Amino acid sequence: MRTGCLSVLKNQSKSKSQYAFVVKKLTILTALFVCSHFISDTLAQTSIIQQEKSSNYNRIIFYAGRDQLNFKKNGHVIQIKTLNEELYNQLKNEVAILANDKTYIKNIQTFKDDGRTNAFVINFELINESVEMFSFYREREKKYVLDLWMDGEETSLSKSTKLASTTNVAPAVSTVNFIEESVEDTVSIKSAQTEKKTQNESAIKKVKKANTENKLEVATRSTTSEAAKKANEEVVEQKINEDEVLASIFVDPNRKFQLSDKERETLQEEHKKAFKDFRYGATFFWDYDPVVPALKDAVNLEAKTPEVFFPILNRKFEKNEREAHLQLTINLYKKKNFGLMNKSITLFQQKYGEKAEWELLEYIKVNALLRENIEKPDPEIFKNAIGRLNGIVEKSDNYEMKKGIWKYLLTHYLQRGDFLRTLQFSKDFYAGTRSNFDFEESPYPAEVMLYSLARLGQVQQLAELSTEKNIKKVVSPAIILSYSSFAKLKVNAIDEVISLYEKSRAASIGELSPTVIYNAAEAYFRKGDYLKAFSMFQKFSKEFPYELTASNAILRMALCSDLLERDYEETLAMYKDSVDKAINSDVSYEARLRYVAFRSVRKNKIDDRDREIRIFLEQDKTTTQVLNKNLNKLLYQVRLRTLIVDGKYKEAFAYFSLIPLSSMAKIDVRSFEGDAAEIAYGLIDEHYKKAEYTQVIKFWQAYKNVYVDKVAMDPYLNFIVGSSYVKLGLFKGFDEVYSHFKELKSLPTRTFPVWVARPSAVSAQNLLAELAIIKDLKLKNTDLALREIEDLTKAMPQNTRLSAYKGLLNYYKRDYKVAIKELEAYLASPTARTIYDPQEVADIVRAYTDSIYETNDTEKFTKVA
């Protein structure tokens, strides 16, 4: 048994050794195969540019990581930018092969952008502007794809992209997937189209719809015959129309749909009917501050020390014992043995004196403090280090060391917003570069000087410095132009800002800086040229969406559109877009206020959804930011007007009393007083309609001198008050109101604001006549009333109330048959009759029923009663 077991073990060990040999052999072969495959792939991709040509398109592939390249087409130039210098050098060496094919690319230029970005640029100059471009990134293969084709020779990719963008049927993810699929199959589809062109067949297009799983497959056959092509289009259109869901959302990308000017104007007028004009919304707007050109920090203070500019170099320690001691100190510093380093410095100073190499030793100490502060941040340590650096700059004569410290300190004080310090240090730095003939370093301190003066508001000094010859030599013309634009707009020289922009645009070869474009747009806005301002702000927001002031530009676009009374639905969408994209808190809140005012105040028919957006008026309770005076003023106006449109006049008066009008300009106060006069009218009108005449007179006496008399005359309000005096029998008070009314009748009638609708647009002269009739009817002065009714009939024969007055007059004269006839004529025209208050209804009904009763027509009386 043991022998058998031993033989089995021997066999097992033999088989194991054979298996191990085989495995080892396979492992070696596998490794060789993988290595060979890797090497082949590496050799295949040593070139980072590949080109795939076709009869009607050209594909260029760039192998690079995501976000390494940026593609932009401007006219007939495609601009490729990168911040990766190594990648740029590789592209620069290989990109020349693309210039051999003159089908799409005319010339290629490579250079470094000396502007703000310092990016490396490759420009493809196309043969003309009809060459179209489409670029995307393939994550799996780590490559950018750039497709070029002539306008009119649409690739399958361009067609698929247009279809996905115009149908709007799928969500964003589905659209991306659809485009991805189209991209993957572009080459194969192109080759298939070339091969099958004689067979006149094209590939089936798939249209993906949102919220449905149905797929519509439309097979189109392209033929040279126009009749066959038209027949295919009709088949496609019929299939689309048969599908209700698809028919409601499908848009034919080849069909040109453009409204005529007349149709567009009609549509705009229809939209405007649903809204009040701009005066009824958020009407206050103010100047935005001009933009200061951006200034990049010289160093990251959280990760670097002054040593990045002035490194601590090794000493020639073989020379003597003193140099060897200094080298020991430097070695301890580099190894971060700061305790031993300090002891070494102390021994060196004891041996060689306090002034020996004091600059270097103090510089080492400061860098040690800052290096320790990076690992364990401590404000006190950092403050101590900054103080020591200031001491070195003041006392040292070592220009190279001072230059590094200046750069570090300038960054520190710029971040703190201490522009007085930055101005002083930049002056010293600039003077140092000039005296030491270090002209290569002059541009940075010169630009910091300009920036500091701009931020300090020293406009005159900034303008003088910008024109200085030495400054113009070291600072680029683009930067000088930006600061000149800022300085002129700061003093509101808007014509000069516009002139500067127009001249620079005409003379400039490259793109203007965002500062110049934004300031010119703001100048156009201040001048009142809202159409030009709109286009300029639109240009700025599209070309520079990464700028902080892009949200300002988007809000200004919406405001310009509103002031120009463009399509109201589009303007409303712009305000909403400005809310969504605002970065700055002030701009965000202003956008919300204007959006609420447009939708929840100016809209004629407000529903619950419109009222819900008033939550935008509430400020974030977690923030401690205080609103500036402009935003506060706008908030007061919008809140007050929301209460007015809701008919909450008592609450509106209470809120109005809390608004600090004494701190506002007179023109702004007048706007609030106009709203207050309308609130007073709303309250008086409410009481009048309830026949509460004492309350009408009470409110009139309280508010007429405070608000009502400060705006234009309101004839109907005077009529209400005079009528209330008559109804109460207070004829002395009526005479005062009537005489006052007569004095005002020649003055302009109020046309704004009119928040509360009036019953009719009757002139002041006719309302005066009606007041006299009401008074004489109340006093039973029938002869006077008859004469006044006859005069009013001549002046205003279409006034439907004449029948009511004639009926009442004949009722008081006991001519009941005529009274019945006139009152029935009045009551029988419900679409035209006008009734002012309930008491008047009661008087007319009583006169009518009493007249019927007095004629002994019992049957009719019973029926009417």
Side-chain angles (χ1 to χ4, degrees), residues 428-446:
D428 295 341
F429 189 4
Y430 180 74
T433 60
R434 304 293 294 179
S435 60
N436 288 276
F437 302 98
D438 190 6
F439 301 119
E440 292 182 356
E441 291 290 343
S442 296
Y444 180 69

Side-chain angles (χ1 to χ4, degrees), residues 106-126:
K106 181 179 180 182
N107 189 24
I108 298 177
Q109 297 176 339
T110 59
F111 57 92
K112 182 179 180 181
D113 185 7
D114 293 329
R116 295 186 311 108
T117 60
N118 289 324
F120 299 95
V121 183
I122 299 175
N123 278 350
F124 289 173
E125 185 181 351
L126 305 174

Side-chain angles (χ1 to χ4, degrees), residues 293-304:
L295 183 65
K296 295 177 67 175
D297 292 333
V299 64
N300 181 5
L301 300 180
E302 295 180 356
K304 302 292 183 180

